[in-house]
Amino acid sequence: MKDKEIERLIKLEEKRQNGVINLIASENYVSRDVLMALGSVFTNKYSEGYPGKRYYGGNEIVDKVENLAKERALKLFGLSKNKWSVNVQPYSGSPANLAIYLALVPIGQKIMGMSLSMGGHLTHGHKVSATGKLWKWIHFGVSKKTELLDYYEIRRIARCEKPKMIVAGFTAYPRVIDFKKLRKICDEVGAIFMVDMSHFAGLVAGGAYPSPFPHADVVMTTTHKTLCGPRAAIIFSRKIKLHASSFMLHDLIDRAVFPGLQGGPHINQIAAIAVCLKEAATPAFKKYAKQVVKNAKVLAKELQKKGWRIVSGGTDSHLFLVDTWARGISGKTAQELLEAEKIIVNKNTIPFDTRSPFDPSGIRIGTAAVTTQGMKEKDMIKIAQKIDKILKSHGGH
Ligand code: DSN
C-alpha cells in the first residue's frame, strides 16, 4: 500500500486477531475469497434500484452479482422462489430491521420483542434506538426460575396487547427458540412473525439449529456472525399479502430498503455475501456449524464443572452467558482480566441483572471464531482452564 500509516494499522490488527483467543459471540473470520470480493472494483459502482431496474447505466455485471447472491440465499435455506423473496441490499442488521418495521408496521403501532437486557437487540425496540422511538414496543423476557423463554407469558402479553408484529431472535439467549409456538401466538393475535436470526443463521444453514423458515413471515440475518461472511444483512420475506391489504410483503420491504432508507447498494459487499453463501452450502460448513455448537457446549460444561454459573444451565447454540458476579467479579472486570491475558469476550447483562449495563453481572462467550480457526473440544477444555485460572487468581472465589 502507498498509505503506510493505514497499512501499518492493518498489519497490527491482523497480528492482534491472530494473537488472541476470540470468544466474541458475534464475530468470525472470513475467507480470503470474501475479503477479495469486499476489496474488489465493485466498490466503484453506483447501482441504485434493483436488478433490471437501475437508475444508472453500466450495471449489467452488477445485476448478475445481485441475482446470484439472491439465488444462493434462497438455495442455502431451501426456499422456493415462488414462495419466498430475498433482499440482499441492507448495509447491516440495524438498517435491515428498521426497513422491515417501516415496511410492515405503521409508525406508532405495537411491536413485541425480546428486551435487550434479557438477550434481545438494540433494534428490537430499545429506547435509545430509533426503533424504540418510532414504534410502541412491548417487551418480553425469560422466566426468572428457568432463564428460558416463557411462551405462556409471551402468549398472555400478546393476547392482551395485540401487537402488529412479534420479533424473535437474540444476541444473548443461548437456547433454541420454539418458532412453532411463536407462530401459533402470532396467528392467534393476527401478528406478523419476524425472526432476526443474525446470530444463528450459520447454524441454521449447517443444520445445527432449528430453522425459522417453516414458521416465519419475515426472516432477517446479518451475514458476518456464524454465517462467516462480510458485514452486511439480508431479508427474506414470504410472497404473501400484508393482512387485508393488496400489498405484497416483499414489495413493501424492497421499497423500504430502497428508496425508503438506503441509497446505492454496496455491490462489493453483495459480491462478498454471494461468496459466503456458496461457502456455507458446502459439506465442510455443515461440519463447521455442528462443531461450533459442540465447542460451545463443552466450554460451558467445563466452566460449570469449575463452579461458574452458566445462565439457563448451558447452551444449544454458539453462545452462552457466565454469571461472573455470582463469584464476586463484575462483567467489566472479568472482560478486562481476560483481555489482559489475550482472551477476548464481552461484558453482558444477565437476565434480571441488578447491575448497570456498563458493568453488568456477566460475560458472553461464543465459539464461532475459534471454531473457524480449527479449534475442537480439547481446545475448549484448555480455554476453560485458562479462564478459570485468570478469574480465580484475581479474586473470583
Ligand atoms: N453487536 C452484535 C452482537 O454482539 O451481538 C449484534 O448486533
Side-chain angles (χ1 to χ4, degrees):
M1 277 178 89
K2 280 193 193 138
D3 185 335
K4 293 298 166 201
E5 279 164 283
I6 287 295
E7 185 181 45
R8 194 179 130 262
L9 292 174
I10 292 173
K11 286 203 173 125
L12 277 177
E13 174 59 11
E14 208 171 339
K15 197 169 159 211
R16 185 200 68 81
Q17 289 187 12
N18 291 330
V20 297
I21 295 173
N22 182 5
L23 300 174
I24 302 271
S26 47
E27 291 183 7
N28 215 327
Y29 299 112
V30 301
S31 67
R32 294 306 296 180
D33 285 6
V34 168
L35 282 181
M36 277 179 76
L38 273 174
S40 69
V41 291
F42 284 118
T43 199
N44 300 332
K45 189 70 197 104
Y46 250 123
S47 38
E48 270 117 324
Y50 289 102
K53 291 172 279 178
R54 306 280 185 186
Y55 288 81
Y56 293 78
N59 274 304
E60 64 280 9
I61 302 165
V62 161
D63 278 5
K64 288 193 169 64
V65 171
E66 188 164 342
N67 281 330
L68 189 56
K70 289 166 77 138
E71 247 170 58
R72 287 181 181 175
L74 293 176
K75 194 166 165 214
L76 180 62
F77 294 102
L79 307 174
S80 133
K81 68 172 187 251
N82 298 326
K83 292 193 176 150
W84 286 87
S85 176
V86 61
N87 188 309
V88 294
Q89 293 196 2
Y91 300 146
S92 203
S94 299
N97 279 347
L98 188 54
I100 294 167
Y101 310 146
L102 283 169
L104 306 179
V105 184
I107 285 176
Q109 298 214 3
K110 289 180 187 170
I111 309 181
M112 236 176 108
M114 195 168 186
S115 64
L116 179 67
S117 59
M118 292 277 182
H121 188 252
L122 268 175
T123 59
H124 299 173
H126 192 279
K127 63 176 191 288
V128 300
S129 151
T131 60
K133 298 182 204 297
L134 294 174
W135 289 274
K136 186 168 169 13
W137 284 80
I138 320 295
H139 281 123
F140 57 83
V142 294
S143 137
K144 198 160 190 177
K145 194 164 154 228
T146 60
E147 297 177 313
L148 300 175
L149 282 171
D150 181 346
Y151 298 94
Y152 182 83
E153 180 63 5
I154 295 171
R155 178 168 179 258
R156 188 193 64 73
I157 302 171
R159 281 164 61 108
C160 174
E161 298 285 351
K162 303 243 174 327
K164 294 277 180 243
M165 174 185 278
I166 297 182
V167 180
F170 58 71
T171 65
Y173 180 71
R175 299 303 194 164
V176 292
I177 299 174
D178 192 332
F179 298 116
K180 195 173 172 188
K181 270 195 189 146
L182 291 174
R183 170 83 255 174
K184 262 186 152 171
I185 298 171
C186 286
D187 287 343
E188 223 180 300
V189 301
I192 298 163
F193 184 26
M194 177 208 156
V195 176
D196 176 345
M197 66 164 185
S198 297
H199 261 271
F200 50 88
L203 307 182
V204 173
Y209 193 90
S211 170
F213 287 102
H215 311 288
D217 300 309
V218 181
V219 177
M220 192 291 291
T221 183
T222 53
T223 49
H224 50 277
K225 298 185 176 88
T226 48
L227 204 47
C228 220
R231 309 192 77 81
I234 48 190
I235 303 171
F236 299 88
S237 45
R238 266 184 207 278
K239 290 189 169 170
I240 52 172
K241 285 189 177 145
L242 176 65
H243 296 312
S245 80
S246 56
F247 297 110
M248 301 293 280
L249 244 55
H250 65 283
D251 285 335
L252 292 166
I253 287 173
D254 284 351
R255 266 185 265 158
V257 172
F258 175 84
L261 198 62
Q262 298 188 169
H266 299 173
I267 300 300
N268 57 322
Q269 207 182 27
I270 292 174
I273 292 176
V275 172
C276 95
L277 294 171
K278 188 171 184 186
E279 290 172 353
T282 58
F285 192 87
K286 276 201 168 58
K287 231 172 131 187
Y288 162 75
K290 293 198 169 100
Q291 189 64 50
V292 169
V293 178
K294 271 192 222 162
N295 283 350
K297 281 181 190 285
V298 170
L299 187 46
K301 187 122 222 120
E302 288 299 310
L303 286 169
Q304 208 167 32
K305 278 196 218 156
K306 294 180 188 309
W308 296 95
R309 191 180 89 78
I310 307 299
V311 170
S312 86
T315 179
D316 307 320
S317 66
H318 61 301
L319 67 79
F320 59 91
L321 295 171
V322 187
D323 177 359
T324 52
W325 189 240
R327 290 175 81 174
I329 303 185
S330 75
K332 183 166 176 272
T333 304
Q335 176 188 314
E336 287 167 1
L337 290 172
L338 293 170
E339 182 160 7
E341 302 291 334
K342 298 198 178 314
I343 296 180
I344 313 297
V345 302
N346 66 277
K347 58 179 183 278
N348 219 99
T349 52
I350 62 169
F352 307 98
D353 211 320
T354 50
R355 298 178 56 84
S356 119
F358 300 103
D359 191 8
S361 297
I363 53 174
R364 184 181 66 164
I365 290 183
T367 53
V370 287
T371 309
T372 299
Q373 289 177 317
M375 292 198 198
K376 298 246 163 65
E377 289 91 326
K378 64 178 188 333
D379 305 296
M380 298 304 113
I381 296 171
K382 283 189 199 141
I383 291 175
Q385 282 164 353
K386 237 177 140 176
I387 292 175
D388 179 60
K389 195 168 158 213
I390 295 165
L391 296 184
K392 267 201 202 136
S393 64
H394 288 85
H397 44 78

mmCIF file of all heavy atoms in Angstrom, residues 46-56 59 62-63 66 70 87 89 254 257-259 262-265 267 270:
data_model
loop_
_atom_site.group_PDB
_atom_site.id
_atom_site.type_symbol
_atom_site.label_atom_id
_atom_site.label_comp_id
_atom_site.label_asym_id
_atom_site.label_seq_id
_atom_site.Cartn_x
_atom_site.Cartn_y
_atom_site.Cartn_z
ATOM 1 N N TYR A 46 -22.039 2.716 -8.755
ATOM 2 C CA TYR A 46 -23.343 3.111 -8.222
ATOM 3 C C TYR A 46 -24.435 2.302 -8.915
ATOM 4 O O TYR A 46 -24.415 2.157 -10.144
ATOM 5 C CB TYR A 46 -23.603 4.610 -8.449
ATOM 6 C CG TYR A 46 -23.569 5.378 -7.155
ATOM 7 C CD1 TYR A 46 -22.691 6.446 -6.967
ATOM 8 C CD2 TYR A 46 -24.411 5.028 -6.109
ATOM 9 C CE1 TYR A 46 -22.657 7.133 -5.763
ATOM 10 C CE2 TYR A 46 -24.372 5.712 -4.900
ATOM 11 C CZ TYR A 46 -23.497 6.761 -4.727
ATOM 12 O OH TYR A 46 -23.463 7.424 -3.536
ATOM 13 N N SER A 47 -25.405 1.810 -8.169
ATOM 14 C CA SER A 47 -26.426 0.973 -8.797
ATOM 15 C C SER A 47 -27.754 1.045 -8.041
ATOM 16 O O SER A 47 -28.381 0.015 -7.786
ATOM 17 C CB SER A 47 -25.944 -0.481 -8.879
ATOM 18 O OG SER A 47 -25.222 -0.826 -7.728
ATOM 19 N N GLU A 48 -28.181 2.282 -7.699
ATOM 20 C CA GLU A 48 -29.481 2.418 -7.040
ATOM 21 C C GLU A 48 -30.569 1.700 -7.838
ATOM 22 O O GLU A 48 -30.596 1.797 -9.075
ATOM 23 C CB GLU A 48 -29.884 3.894 -6.920
ATOM 24 C CG GLU A 48 -29.394 4.523 -5.636
ATOM 25 C CD GLU A 48 -28.431 5.635 -5.890
ATOM 26 O OE1 GLU A 48 -27.644 5.494 -6.868
ATOM 27 O OE2 GLU A 48 -28.475 6.625 -5.150
ATOM 28 N N GLY A 49 -31.454 1.051 -7.107
ATOM 29 C CA GLY A 49 -32.510 0.283 -7.767
ATOM 30 C C GLY A 49 -32.278 -1.196 -7.527
ATOM 31 O O GLY A 49 -31.560 -1.588 -6.611
ATOM 32 N N TYR A 50 -32.912 -2.006 -8.357
ATOM 33 C CA TYR A 50 -32.792 -3.459 -8.237
ATOM 34 C C TYR A 50 -32.437 -4.030 -9.608
ATOM 35 O O TYR A 50 -32.562 -3.331 -10.630
ATOM 36 C CB TYR A 50 -34.104 -4.039 -7.699
ATOM 37 C CG TYR A 50 -34.305 -3.691 -6.230
ATOM 38 C CD1 TYR A 50 -35.180 -2.678 -5.829
ATOM 39 C CD2 TYR A 50 -33.584 -4.366 -5.246
ATOM 40 C CE1 TYR A 50 -35.336 -2.349 -4.478
ATOM 41 C CE2 TYR A 50 -33.736 -4.050 -3.897
ATOM 42 C CZ TYR A 50 -34.606 -3.045 -3.516
ATOM 43 O OH TYR A 50 -34.729 -2.732 -2.192
ATOM 44 N N PRO A 51 -31.990 -5.293 -9.688
ATOM 45 C CA PRO A 51 -31.584 -5.851 -10.987
ATOM 46 C C PRO A 51 -32.632 -5.596 -12.075
ATOM 47 O O PRO A 51 -33.825 -5.831 -11.879
ATOM 48 C CB PRO A 51 -31.430 -7.352 -10.680
ATOM 49 C CG PRO A 51 -31.051 -7.388 -9.228
ATOM 50 C CD PRO A 51 -31.800 -6.246 -8.582
ATOM 51 N N GLY A 52 -32.169 -5.079 -13.195
ATOM 52 C CA GLY A 52 -33.062 -4.790 -14.324
ATOM 53 C C GLY A 52 -33.775 -3.444 -14.201
ATOM 54 O O GLY A 52 -34.419 -2.994 -15.142
ATOM 55 N N LYS A 53 -33.686 -2.807 -13.031
ATOM 56 C CA LYS A 53 -34.400 -1.526 -12.805
ATOM 57 C C LYS A 53 -33.471 -0.571 -12.053
ATOM 58 O O LYS A 53 -33.698 -0.248 -10.896
ATOM 59 C CB LYS A 53 -35.660 -1.751 -11.953
ATOM 60 C CG LYS A 53 -36.764 -2.512 -12.644
ATOM 61 C CD LYS A 53 -37.881 -2.848 -11.670
ATOM 62 C CE LYS A 53 -37.503 -4.069 -10.852
ATOM 63 N NZ LYS A 53 -38.446 -4.493 -9.844
ATOM 64 N N ARG A 54 -32.385 -0.163 -12.712
ATOM 65 C CA ARG A 54 -31.398 0.685 -12.042
ATOM 66 C C ARG A 54 -31.526 2.125 -12.515
ATOM 67 O O ARG A 54 -32.025 2.388 -13.610
ATOM 68 C CB ARG A 54 -29.974 0.203 -12.361
ATOM 69 C CG ARG A 54 -29.707 -1.262 -12.076
ATOM 70 C CD ARG A 54 -29.449 -1.519 -10.622
ATOM 71 N NE ARG A 54 -29.081 -2.934 -10.439
ATOM 72 C CZ ARG A 54 -28.897 -3.499 -9.248
ATOM 73 N NH1 ARG A 54 -29.051 -2.806 -8.151
ATOM 74 N NH2 ARG A 54 -28.574 -4.765 -9.163
ATOM 75 N N TYR A 55 -31.026 3.024 -11.682
ATOM 76 C CA TYR A 55 -31.054 4.446 -12.042
ATOM 77 C C TYR A 55 -29.794 4.897 -12.768
ATOM 78 O O TYR A 55 -29.692 6.038 -13.188
ATOM 79 C CB TYR A 55 -31.274 5.293 -10.781
ATOM 80 C CG TYR A 55 -32.684 5.178 -10.266
ATOM 81 C CD1 TYR A 55 -33.067 4.090 -9.484
ATOM 82 C CD2 TYR A 55 -33.651 6.111 -10.599
ATOM 83 C CE1 TYR A 55 -34.364 3.960 -9.038
ATOM 84 C CE2 TYR A 55 -34.957 5.991 -10.161
ATOM 85 C CZ TYR A 55 -35.309 4.906 -9.372
ATOM 86 O OH TYR A 55 -36.602 4.774 -8.930
ATOM 87 N N TYR A 56 -28.799 4.022 -12.880
ATOM 88 C CA TYR A 56 -27.542 4.356 -13.559
ATOM 89 C C TYR A 56 -27.264 3.317 -14.628
ATOM 90 O O TYR A 56 -27.681 2.165 -14.495
ATOM 91 C CB TYR A 56 -26.364 4.323 -12.570
ATOM 92 C CG TYR A 56 -26.399 5.395 -11.514
ATOM 93 C CD1 TYR A 56 -27.234 5.275 -10.406
ATOM 94 C CD2 TYR A 56 -25.590 6.517 -11.621
ATOM 95 C CE1 TYR A 56 -27.260 6.250 -9.433
ATOM 96 C CE2 TYR A 56 -25.613 7.497 -10.645
ATOM 97 C CZ TYR A 56 -26.456 7.357 -9.547
ATOM 98 O OH TYR A 56 -26.480 8.317 -8.586
ATOM 99 N N ASN A 59 -24.717 -1.288 -15.415
ATOM 100 C CA ASN A 59 -24.960 -2.229 -14.319
ATOM 101 C C ASN A 59 -25.205 -3.674 -14.765
ATOM 102 O O ASN A 59 -25.729 -4.474 -13.988
ATOM 103 C CB ASN A 59 -26.140 -1.736 -13.475
ATOM 104 C CG ASN A 59 -25.680 -0.760 -12.405
ATOM 105 O OD1 ASN A 59 -24.821 -1.092 -11.597
ATOM 106 N ND2 ASN A 59 -26.204 0.451 -12.431
ATOM 107 N N VAL A 62 -23.193 -5.926 -12.481
ATOM 108 C CA VAL A 62 -23.731 -5.763 -11.123
ATOM 109 C C VAL A 62 -25.034 -6.560 -10.964
ATOM 110 O O VAL A 62 -25.244 -7.246 -9.957
ATOM 111 C CB VAL A 62 -23.951 -4.258 -10.841
ATOM 112 C CG1 VAL A 62 -24.920 -4.045 -9.681
ATOM 113 C CG2 VAL A 62 -22.616 -3.584 -10.538
ATOM 114 N N ASP A 63 -25.902 -6.481 -11.973
ATOM 115 C CA ASP A 63 -27.173 -7.229 -11.919
ATOM 116 C C ASP A 63 -26.921 -8.727 -11.732
ATOM 117 O O ASP A 63 -27.615 -9.407 -10.981
ATOM 118 C CB ASP A 63 -27.982 -7.027 -13.209
ATOM 119 C CG ASP A 63 -28.772 -5.715 -13.176
ATOM 120 O OD1 ASP A 63 -28.614 -4.956 -12.208
ATOM 121 O OD2 ASP A 63 -29.531 -5.465 -14.129
ATOM 122 N N GLU A 66 -25.912 -9.378 -8.077
ATOM 123 C CA GLU A 66 -27.024 -9.314 -7.114
ATOM 124 C C GLU A 66 -27.973 -10.502 -7.295
ATOM 125 O O GLU A 66 -28.432 -11.098 -6.309
ATOM 126 C CB GLU A 66 -27.777 -7.978 -7.253
ATOM 127 C CG GLU A 66 -28.797 -7.812 -6.145
ATOM 128 C CD GLU A 66 -29.321 -6.383 -5.961
ATOM 129 O OE1 GLU A 66 -28.676 -5.430 -6.440
ATOM 130 O OE2 GLU A 66 -30.383 -6.241 -5.334
ATOM 131 N N LYS A 70 -28.883 -13.469 -4.541
ATOM 132 C CA LYS A 70 -30.271 -13.787 -4.177
ATOM 133 C C LYS A 70 -30.565 -15.280 -4.374
ATOM 134 O O LYS A 70 -31.152 -15.936 -3.515
ATOM 135 C CB LYS A 70 -31.240 -12.932 -5.011
ATOM 136 C CG LYS A 70 -31.211 -11.466 -4.595
ATOM 137 C CD LYS A 70 -31.887 -10.570 -5.585
ATOM 138 C CE LYS A 70 -33.374 -10.651 -5.469
ATOM 139 N NZ LYS A 70 -34.031 -9.338 -5.556
ATOM 140 N N ASN A 87 -33.987 -9.890 -0.196
ATOM 141 C CA ASN A 87 -33.349 -8.604 -0.495
ATOM 142 C C ASN A 87 -31.943 -8.644 0.102
ATOM 143 O O ASN A 87 -31.793 -8.855 1.312
ATOM 144 C CB ASN A 87 -34.167 -7.464 0.133
ATOM 145 C CG ASN A 87 -33.661 -6.101 -0.306
ATOM 146 O OD1 ASN A 87 -32.468 -5.825 -0.218
ATOM 147 N ND2 ASN A 87 -34.558 -5.255 -0.780
ATOM 148 N N GLN A 89 -29.643 -6.151 -0.173
ATOM 149 C CA GLN A 89 -29.027 -4.822 -0.159
ATOM 150 C C GLN A 89 -28.793 -4.175 1.210
ATOM 151 O O GLN A 89 -28.008 -3.225 1.291
ATOM 152 C CB GLN A 89 -29.865 -3.862 -1.023
ATOM 153 C CG GLN A 89 -29.829 -4.207 -2.501
ATOM 154 C CD GLN A 89 -30.325 -3.076 -3.394
ATOM 155 O OE1 GLN A 89 -30.671 -2.000 -2.931
ATOM 156 N NE2 GLN A 89 -30.365 -3.346 -4.684
ATOM 157 N N ASP A 254 -38.837 -4.349 -0.143
ATOM 158 C CA ASP A 254 -37.902 -3.823 -1.157
ATOM 159 C C ASP A 254 -37.969 -2.302 -1.199
ATOM 160 O O ASP A 254 -36.944 -1.619 -1.235
ATOM 161 C CB ASP A 254 -38.224 -4.394 -2.548
ATOM 162 C CG ASP A 254 -37.742 -5.838 -2.697
ATOM 163 O OD1 ASP A 254 -37.023 -6.317 -1.789
ATOM 164 O OD2 ASP A 254 -38.096 -6.486 -3.711
ATOM 165 N N VAL A 257 -36.293 -0.705 1.859
ATOM 166 C CA VAL A 257 -34.815 -0.726 1.828
ATOM 167 C C VAL A 257 -34.325 0.362 0.864
ATOM 168 O O VAL A 257 -33.513 1.210 1.224
ATOM 169 C CB VAL A 257 -34.289 -2.121 1.395
ATOM 170 C CG1 VAL A 257 -32.772 -2.079 1.168
ATOM 171 C CG2 VAL A 257 -34.631 -3.174 2.445
ATOM 172 N N PHE A 258 -34.822 0.327 -0.363
ATOM 173 C CA PHE A 258 -34.526 1.371 -1.358
ATOM 174 C C PHE A 258 -35.796 1.705 -2.122
ATOM 175 O O PHE A 258 -36.438 0.799 -2.611
ATOM 176 C CB PHE A 258 -33.444 0.914 -2.352
ATOM 177 C CG PHE A 258 -33.254 1.959 -3.415
ATOM 178 C CD1 PHE A 258 -32.427 3.046 -3.193
ATOM 179 C CD2 PHE A 258 -33.963 1.898 -4.620
ATOM 180 C CE1 PHE A 258 -32.294 4.046 -4.155
ATOM 181 C CE2 PHE A 258 -33.836 2.899 -5.579
ATOM 182 C CZ PHE A 258 -32.999 3.971 -5.336
ATOM 183 N N PRO A 259 -36.215 2.940 -2.174
ATOM 184 C CA PRO A 259 -35.513 4.161 -1.749
ATOM 185 C C PRO A 259 -35.843 4.624 -0.335
ATOM 186 O O PRO A 259 -35.367 5.691 0.072
ATOM 187 C CB PRO A 259 -36.044 5.182 -2.760
ATOM 188 C CG PRO A 259 -37.462 4.750 -3.013
ATOM 189 C CD PRO A 259 -37.450 3.248 -2.946
ATOM 190 N N GLN A 262 -32.219 3.442 2.278
ATOM 191 C CA GLN A 262 -30.840 3.444 1.805
ATOM 192 C C GLN A 262 -30.724 4.088 0.429
ATOM 193 O O GLN A 262 -31.706 4.252 -0.283
ATOM 194 C CB GLN A 262 -30.320 2.004 1.713
ATOM 195 C CG GLN A 262 -30.279 1.286 3.028
ATOM 196 C CD GLN A 262 -29.580 -0.059 2.975
ATOM 197 O OE1 GLN A 262 -29.311 -0.646 4.003
ATOM 198 N NE2 GLN A 262 -29.281 -0.566 1.781
ATOM 199 N N GLY A 263 -29.457 4.385 0.070
ATOM 200 C CA GLY A 263 -29.156 4.818 -1.290
ATOM 201 C C GLY A 263 -28.563 3.643 -2.046
ATOM 202 O O GLY A 263 -29.058 2.516 -1.942
ATOM 203 N N GLY A 264 -27.499 3.908 -2.774
ATOM 204 C CA GLY A 264 -26.892 2.866 -3.611
ATOM 205 C C GLY A 264 -26.420 1.673 -2.795
ATOM 206 O O GLY A 264 -25.798 1.841 -1.744
ATOM 207 N N PRO A 265 -26.725 0.464 -3.279
ATOM 208 C CA PRO A 265 -26.244 -0.727 -2.576
ATOM 209 C C PRO A 265 -24.721 -0.855 -2.682
ATOM 210 O O PRO A 265 -24.125 -0.350 -3.634
ATOM 211 C CB PRO A 265 -26.937 -1.875 -3.307
ATOM 212 C CG PRO A 265 -27.262 -1.340 -4.657
ATOM 213 C CD PRO A 265 -27.492 0.137 -4.485
ATOM 214 N N ILE A 267 -22.161 -2.943 -3.762
ATOM 215 C CA ILE A 267 -22.095 -4.175 -4.573
ATOM 216 C C ILE A 267 -20.900 -5.049 -4.202
ATOM 217 O O ILE A 267 -20.971 -6.282 -4.284
ATOM 218 C CB ILE A 267 -22.123 -3.836 -6.083
ATOM 219 C CG1 ILE A 267 -23.426 -3.088 -6.434
ATOM 220 C CG2 ILE A 267 -22.010 -5.096 -6.948
ATOM 221 C CD1 ILE A 267 -24.724 -3.850 -6.159
ATOM 222 N N ILE A 270 -22.220 -7.077 -1.556
ATOM 223 C CA ILE A 270 -23.168 -8.090 -2.055
ATOM 224 C C ILE A 270 -22.403 -9.233 -2.739
ATOM 225 O O ILE A 270 -22.763 -10.403 -2.598
ATOM 226 C CB ILE A 270 -24.216 -7.426 -2.983
ATOM 227 C CG1 ILE A 270 -25.106 -6.495 -2.138
ATOM 228 C CG2 ILE A 270 -25.061 -8.474 -3.716
ATOM 229 C CD1 ILE A 270 -26.098 -5.655 -2.932
#
